[in-house]
Amino acid sequence: MTIKMKIKIIYIVCILFYAFHTTAQICPGEEGVLQWELWQGLIDDEIDQLTAMPDYPTRPSLTKPVFRLQTPINYDNKLGSRIRGFIYVPSTTDVTFNLTGDDKAQFFLSTDEYPENMTLASNLPGYTSIANHDEYPEQTSDVITLQPNINYYFELLHVEGSGGDHATVYWKTDLVDTSTWNIITASYLKGVDCLVDMCPEEGTACNDGDSTTENDIEDGFCNCMGSKISTNNCIGERGKILNYRYDNIPGSYLNDLYEAPTFPGTPDYSESLDQLGTPSVNVVDNFGTLIQAYLTVPVSGNYKFNVTGNYNAILFISSNDDPENKQAHQALLTSSTGMTEHDKFIWQSTSFIYLEANTYYYVELNHKDGSGSEHFSAFWQTPFTEAGVWKRIPDLYFYDYDCEVACIPENTVCDDGNIFTNNDMYNDACECVGTPCSGPDCDSPLANYVPYDKCSVTDQLDNNPENNWLSCTTTANPNPMRSEGHWIMYDLGARHELHQTQVWNYNVLNETEKGFENVAIDYSDDGVSWSEYGSYTWPMAPGNSGYSGFSGPDFQGTYARYVMITCLDIDPECKGLGKIAFTAVYCPLVGTACDDGDIYTLDDKYDSNCECVGIPFDENDCLEESITLGDSTLFTEKYSAEQYINSISQIAGDNVVSFIGGQSIVLDVGFETGENTLFLAAIDTCEESAERVALLESRQDIIDKIKEAQELAKIEGLKLIPVENSDEQIIQFYLPKGGKVKLSISDKSGATVFTLLEHEFKNSGVYTKRIRTKKFDSGIFNVELNVDDAIEYERLVVL
């Protein structure tokens, strides 16, 4: 009992020391001067995203002096910022604070000079204009009494996604005016001082004192860490997190990913991440992801991990560098969460795990998305970051896992993670590589080839010539009705419904006369037949580094894939533009296949309103007189008949099946539904209607699916099927019932080379995995199928 008490006291002392080190050093600084601290690269416009950034609060991207409690206006996109300091008053006064901003902001105020005593005084949950003081009730504080001779510590936190940005703290006080809101000015403000020295920059060479490491560098948090010398050949490049994506996998659950033939051997896309997670976007649906890497930590101690995402995700952390031990620690997500919603499920987080510095730990993250926005992220709490705060995990602490089986076809577009390469594609060896830059100073961030995001919506454009487009040679216009000249054509990639535009003219200091002044705008669906939208006179740019552009034409719902802007100025030598942003809605031609996101519909197609709509599952097609389904496996489909439907089938897991009978539905003994299936049965009588028959299509594919399922059911055991004229292999196995399955590949010594599958199946059936052998050494391997400890082998020969 005494020993336990001593341990508990030591633990509390350590925590208090940590808090003292990080907060108690702050004291009042220069009167009237505050520092605006900026963190760039914010994933989302939420305050929690700012505090989760690895470099917050110790290392801002830049600082800038300000002289009142207001951030710079329209500075940038995807940013988080902070202004901290002290408010002091010459006499006792009752104060009400008010906060305005775009996108979101929070104002914290302490009861004294100590940061640990501050509380939220004003909260701005959404954007306002600079002078809109009553959009949200919580943007105005309660009445707070301030006393003289006390320095009240405060912090203003602000986040911005895109568009305009600003944050301002106002007050009403008898020191200024109790009838109107006034910005808090320098007369009542002090900056901060007594700050601890900043840690050396990340990447600075150092010596960690360990002779078994090499290439020691600082991590930016006053930790020196090296690369441990290891005999593990799977440990790859330092600072690399490679994310594989597997497309066109229906369902939202991890089981759907694990049972998909393409996982993990044949992904569709990959990208290098700068942290263990992705932003929230809505680019593709029905996909899964796989990340495999090695984690190292700079400080020995207790670490805790957390996972968030949409829809399912799991983070594995091995007890060492062996993937076979990955189940040692897990953080599991069984349903969707917000990007920083850390406590929706108790199993989202691990307990504290003791990790040794300069040691490799295998980690793996699996994620499955269904529809809607997609995102996943892993977070940690560490001995060297703020206690109790979830932080994103940057790539600095990871090494690539070089023994993955995943292999993407040659010439598939990818992202090699190197900003100084172009045209990144997979080569014949399954490696994502780009073409290195060339020429003087090509590895400078100011170099011409740097891929700026030309389509992002932003309020500013600098005056760097490399960020502007310039034409100094006249060419034939794609529109035959136009004469040769200077023009630019935008290809939106597909047909869109166009609305408002924002235009930035050519914005280079002392060269703004090269901008487009008199212009004609044409549009086209196919790039061949053109229609004129209108002619305009555009203002020239100012040539400064904070150019906000101007509102361009509103296309008012015009449909087009191509938009062309032609300069009509007389005899110009060179003409150019900064950039143009289009507000557009994806709008394919009527009848284009799509997914409306409604599981109760099928045959989804775009209509004339650019909306994706499907045929309801409970509507009788009336194309069959009757249907009898024998002992077969059914997948997502609607079955309908004028008279009756009779079935003794089994519905495969995670599938949606609908029976619509005109008179009756009979489910005989033997009819079964699998796990997570959705089965609908309804009576919908048929009416002889040419309109109804014309609306629906033939259901011959029902018979084809039944035959296919019956053929597959004949396969038993493990089977290896080479794909002719390729390095691809199809591994096929039959499960007569559910069970725990491990599918792996081992070399002639019996050592596991790749683990393809380790999963508990709920249903019987035939399952496949597709792999490529490009990453295999030449030799003989065993494909091993372990089902509930019953093992079966097939030989794999790689030439």
Side-chain angles (χ1 to χ4, degrees), residues 131-187:
N132 184 354
H133 302 288
D134 54 7
E135 184 71 21
Y136 307 96
E138 57 266 46
Q139 73 185 98
T140 301
S141 74
D142 296 331
V143 176
I144 300 173
T145 301
L146 302 182
Q147 303 289 345
N149 302 319
I150 296 178
N151 294 304
Y152 295 93
Y153 179 80
F154 70 84
E155 288 189 7
L156 168 62
L157 304 184
H158 167 235
V159 292
E160 157 70 2
S162 62
D165 53 276
H166 58 87
T168 307
V169 180
Y170 297 80
W171 64 355
K172 286 182 180 179
T173 169
D174 58 9
L175 299 175
V176 183
D177 189 343
T178 58
S179 62
T180 60
W181 293 112
N182 295 275
I183 299 176
I184 305 176
T185 58
S187 302

Side-chain angles (χ1 to χ4, degrees), residues 494-531:
R495 183 175 183 264
H496 282 73
E497 183 182 273
L498 304 180
H499 295 278
Q500 184 61 51
T501 61
Q502 180 78 4
V503 179
W504 291 259
N505 219 326
Y506 190 74
N507 188 53
V508 177
L509 186 64
N510 300 322
E511 296 183 14
T512 57
E513 74 282 356
K514 295 180 180 178
F516 277 33
E517 185 172 9
N518 297 293
V519 301
I521 296 183
D522 301 318
Y523 63 94
S524 170
D525 267 347
D526 56 11
V528 177
S529 300
W530 293 88
S531 300

Side-chain angles (χ1 to χ4, degrees), residues 627-630 644-649 659 664-668:
I627 294 176
T628 299
L629 300 173
Y644 66 86
I645 298 176
N646 181 281
S647 174
I648 57 171
S649 307
F659 288 176
S664 64
I665 295 170
V666 180
L667 305 179
D668 285 335

Side-chain angles (χ1 to χ4, degrees), residues 5 25 69 91 123 184 200 202 322 500 548 561 586 606 626 639 679 685 713 717:
M5 183 59 72
Q25 299 295 323
L69 203 37
S91 59
N123 178 42
I184 305 176
E202 177 187 318
D322 189 351
Q500 184 61 51
S548 298
R561 170 175 174 171
Y586 178 56
Y606 279 95
S626 61
Y639 300 87
F679 173 64
T685 58

Side-chain angles (χ1 to χ4, degrees), residues 327-540:
Q327 307 259 4
H329 309 285
Q330 302 176 27
L332 175 64
L333 193 65
T334 55
S335 182
S336 178
T337 71
M339 295 181 69
T340 54
E341 188 179 5
H342 302 292
D343 54 3
K344 185 173 182 179
F345 308 104
I346 58 173
W347 44 83
Q348 270 181 265
S349 301
T350 68
S351 57
F352 278 105
I353 307 168
Y354 186 82
L355 301 180
E356 291 278 356
N358 297 328
T359 301
Y360 295 106
Y361 297 93
Y362 174 82
V363 298
E364 181 177 323
L365 195 148
N366 307 154
H367 163 245
K368 183 65 180 74
D369 171 78
S371 60
S373 64
E374 60 261 11
H375 64 90
F376 64 87
S377 293
F379 301 81
W380 66 356
Q381 295 177 15
T382 80
F384 56 90
T385 54
E386 306 142 275
V389 177
W390 290 113
K391 308 292 287 188
R392 293 188 175 273
I393 315 175
D395 57 7
L396 175 69
Y397 302 108
F398 291 95
Y399 291 77
D400 186 33
Y401 178 71
D402 256 356
C403 290
E404 72 272 20
V405 70
C407 185
I408 295 180
E410 187 178 5
N411 297 325
T412 301
V413 175
C414 58
D415 178 5
D416 67 358
N418 184 353
I419 64 172
F420 302 115
T421 61
N422 289 320
N423 303 318
D424 300 347
M425 293 184 182
Y426 270 90
N427 62 18
D428 188 51
C430 306
E431 300 168 329
C432 179
V433 294
T435 304
C437 64
S438 60
D441 300 322
C442 79
D443 58 349
S444 164
L446 300 179
N448 180 37
Y449 73 92
V450 174
Y452 292 97
D453 186 359
K454 296 296 185 182
C455 296
S456 64
V457 179
T458 175
D459 280 352
Q460 293 190 333
L461 182 72
D462 65 24
N463 54 8
N464 185 344
E466 310 300 346
N467 290 344
N468 290 260
W469 169 82
L470 187 66
S471 169
C472 292
T473 302
T474 60
T475 56
N477 198 294
N479 185 351
M481 301 299 294
R482 304 279 179 204
S483 59
E484 181 178 287
H486 301 291
W487 52 270
I488 184 169
M489 183 175 71
Y490 293 89
D491 181 357
L492 304 182
R495 183 175 183 264
H496 282 73
E497 183 182 273
L498 304 180
H499 295 278
Q500 184 61 51
T501 61
Q502 180 78 4
V503 179
W504 291 259
N505 219 326
Y506 190 74
N507 188 53
V508 177
L509 186 64
N510 300 322
E511 296 183 14
T512 57
E513 74 282 356
K514 295 180 180 178
F516 277 33
E517 185 172 9
N518 297 293
V519 301
I521 296 183
D522 301 318
Y523 63 94
S524 170
D525 267 347
D526 56 11
V528 177
S529 300
W530 293 88
S531 300
E532 180 177 345
Y533 190 75
S535 299
Y536 305 88
T537 300
W538 284 351
M540 297 293 100

